[in-house]
């Protein structure tokens, strides 16, 4: 029985460290997610999977694709230079 308790403790620590570092990469509060994962275990793990945000890098790549798409629309004449600058400012604001 002591072995199972030790095994759970080790798994809980590893999971908490994993969730904490993943949350930091996703621009979330790594400390609190790690503490919650350690103390409440599987409940917080499931909650984290449900609410986690995309990685910062994925967000930045998405914005870069948006800018590239806008540039293409401007070059094709679908939008004017003023519309391009307006939308570009909105996209950059979210970066």
């Amino acid at each position: 029985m002591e072995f199972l308790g030790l095994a759970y403790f080790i798994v809980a620590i590893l999971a908490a460290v994993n969730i904490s570092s993943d949350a930091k990469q996703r621009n979330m509060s790594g400390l609190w997610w790690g503490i919650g994962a350690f103390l409440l275990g599987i409940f917080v793990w499931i909650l984290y999977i449900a609410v986690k945000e995309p990685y910062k890098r994925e967000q930045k790549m998405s914005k870069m694709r948006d800018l590239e798409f806008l540039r293409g629309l401007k070059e094709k004449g679908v939008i004017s230079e003023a519309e391009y600058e307006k939308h570009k400012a909105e996209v950059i604001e979210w970066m």
Side-chain angles (χ1 to χ4, degrees):
M1 196 65 168
E2 292 174 5
F3 175 74
L4 291 177
L6 179 63
Y8 178 78
F9 183 74
I10 292 171
V11 169
I13 288 176
L14 292 175
V17 169
N18 188 359
I19 286 177
S20 176
S21 66
D22 188 66
K24 286 178 189 175
Q25 292 177 355
R26 295 175 187 273
N27 207 20
M28 298 168 71
S29 177
L31 175 68
W32 292 112
W33 279 108
I35 290 171
F38 178 75
L39 295 177
L40 301 174
I42 192 86
F43 302 110
V44 172
W45 304 345
I46 292 170
L47 178 64
Y48 179 73
I49 290 170
V51 301
K52 65 184 177 181
E53 298 174 358
Y55 287 116
K56 293 179 209 175
R57 182 172 181 266
E58 290 173 0
Q59 290 173 340
K60 188 172 184 176
M61 293 299 293
S62 175
K63 299 302 178 192
M64 291 173 69
R65 282 191 294 270
D66 291 348
L67 288 174
E68 193 173 307
F69 177 72
L70 285 171
R71 189 174 30 251
L73 289 177
K74 182 185 82 167
E75 290 172 358
K76 291 177 184 176
V78 176
I79 60 173
S80 67
E81 181 72 30
E83 290 174 316
Y84 169 74
E85 291 299 326
K86 176 187 162 206
H87 293 300
K88 178 181 165 186
E90 290 173 0
V91 170
I92 290 175
E93 180 181 314
W94 289 101
M95 290 176 101

